[in-house]
Amino acid sequence: MKETYTPAEVQRGRLLIVVAAVLWSTSGAFTKILTRPTPLDLDQPLEGFAWSGHVFPVQIAFYRALFASLMFGLFLRPRDVQFGSRFTFGLLLLMGACFACMNITFVSAQALGTAANAILLQYSAPLWMVLASITLLGEPSDRRNTIMLAFGMLGIGIIVASGWTEGDVSVMAIGLLSGFFYACVVLCLRSLRALPSHWLTFWNHAVSALVLVPVVIGLAPPSFGQLGLLFLFGVVQMSAAYWLMARGLRTVSPQEAGAITLLEPLLNPLWTYLISGETPETATFVGGGVILAALAWRYWPRASTP
């Protein structure tokens, strides 16, 4: 029997997802504060302390995942920790590895290039999922998926072509990889949906932090101010946003939630501009507009689905 909710409950769910999308959209601003000159001066080592150093993308990815996993761990119950069969455990390991790769590639793309390009290229994930469904799973593609795929690839081509002429091909490739690994994580989550969602979320962030320990252990640790911002990055931008999304999904369909979260790639460049003055290229607006239009057309709720 399908559950019904009052209009007030549905509106509250939508509001929670809007707030989650807004929090997620601040990732570019957090990254730029730690890697570019801003009024906060948190891109520089702590003056007078030799142990303090610049914050590298790999450190941002590590501490972001670490603090998020610690926060998720506070609400994890012993009975939620499930590994299942050998196949399930193998999928957990694969998903954790893909999440770690997604984390580091996304943060690196934002730190090394423009935040707008990074977030838009990560939103290529639905395109990768459609391609995987068709080529690997043998699922037929419907009209909406085919049109989304065609226009989404066109938008990516516009952004990448711009980067090609400006010599930012490697950064573009990192951004596309983040979208690819994001798609892999979603496909794994779909296969592991029988396990508690908060356990899977904790697992992803904990594994992502754990695999980066050998890399960050040889780097100079962040200053007190940098560490405080990284704490907010993990707890507020990641943990709080995931919690709000989970609460909102109780009364809002995944399809509508997906449409609402398109606020993230729209707001991400805005916060980044206000923090660091970074302005996206014209090709980013054009290509990004095509990608977002394709995604909105595919996932916007409709009365009936073809």
Side-chain angles (χ1 to χ4, degrees):
M1 182 177 176
K2 185 177 180 180
E3 293 184 85
T4 57
Y5 302 98
T6 65
E9 290 174 326
V10 174
Q11 286 297 104
R12 181 174 179 271
R14 288 170 178 161
L15 179 61
L16 292 175
I17 294 173
V18 167
V19 176
V22 172
L23 290 178
W24 275 328
S25 73
T26 60
S27 62
F30 274 104
T31 302
K32 297 303 179 184
I33 291 174
L34 292 164
T35 58
R36 302 286 174 86
T38 67
L40 297 176
D41 287 331
L42 290 179
D43 63 311
Q44 299 296 323
L46 190 62
E47 188 175 351
F49 290 83
W51 53 262
S52 173
H54 292 280
V55 179
F56 295 95
V58 67
Q59 290 175 294
I60 298 175
F62 167 73
Y63 285 105
R64 177 194 193 206
L66 174 65
F67 289 129
S69 65
L70 292 176
M71 182 57 64
F72 287 125
L74 292 177
F75 302 96
L76 200 64
R77 297 164 295 186
R79 68 173 180 268
D80 295 328
V81 180
Q82 302 176 26
F83 294 100
S85 64
R86 289 185 178 179
F87 177 75
T88 300
F89 182 62
L91 272 181
L92 280 169
L93 291 176
L94 176 62
M95 181 179 64
C98 289
F99 191 92
C101 292
M102 179 197 73
N103 184 27
I104 185 60
T105 52
F106 179 57
V107 171
S108 297
Q110 289 192 119
L112 301 175
T114 65
N117 281 350
I119 190 65
L120 288 169
L121 292 175
Q122 192 190 47
Y123 263 72
S124 66
L127 309 181
W128 294 114
M129 285 187 281
V130 171
L131 283 174
S133 298
I134 296 172
T135 59
L136 300 179
L137 304 179
E139 297 180 0
S141 177
D142 58 28
R143 181 173 61 90
R144 292 177 69 180
N145 278 336
T146 301
I147 294 176
M148 177 196 71
L149 186 61
F151 280 92
M153 289 299 183
L154 173 62
I156 290 173
I158 293 171
I159 295 175
V160 172
S162 170
W164 194 283
T165 58
E166 296 172 8
D168 292 331
V169 182
S170 59
V171 178
M172 297 291 184
I174 294 172
L176 281 174
L177 275 175
S178 73
F180 171 77
F181 287 121
Y182 185 14
C184 292
V185 170
V186 173
L187 290 173
C188 288
L189 285 171
R190 180 181 176 184
S191 300
L192 295 167
R193 58 186 178 275
L195 300 182
S197 58
H198 42 292
W199 157 239
L200 296 177
T201 305
F202 166 80
W203 169 266
N204 281 333
H205 288 85
V207 171
S208 182
L210 185 63
V211 299
L212 291 176
V213 169
V215 182
V216 301
I217 199 168
L219 299 174
S223 67
F224 300 119
Q226 292 166 343
L227 200 60
L229 189 68
L230 286 164
F231 176 80
L232 292 176
F233 201 171
V235 172
V236 177
Q237 194 271 336
M238 291 289 286
S239 303
Y242 270 105
W243 183 85
L244 290 168
M245 174 61 74
R247 296 283 296 185
L249 284 171
R250 293 181 181 180
T251 57
V252 178
S253 69
Q255 187 175 8
E256 184 175 1
I260 293 173
T261 54
L262 289 177
L263 283 170
E264 181 188 0
L266 293 175
L267 293 176
N268 189 300
L270 174 61
W271 307 139
T272 305
Y273 170 76
L274 294 175
I275 288 293
S276 65
E278 179 182 274
T279 305
E281 300 291 333
T282 302
T284 299
F285 287 111
V286 176
V290 173
I291 294 172
L292 294 180
L295 292 173
W297 186 86
R298 172 61 182 86
Y299 290 110
W300 203 266
R302 301 185 181 189
S304 60
T305 303

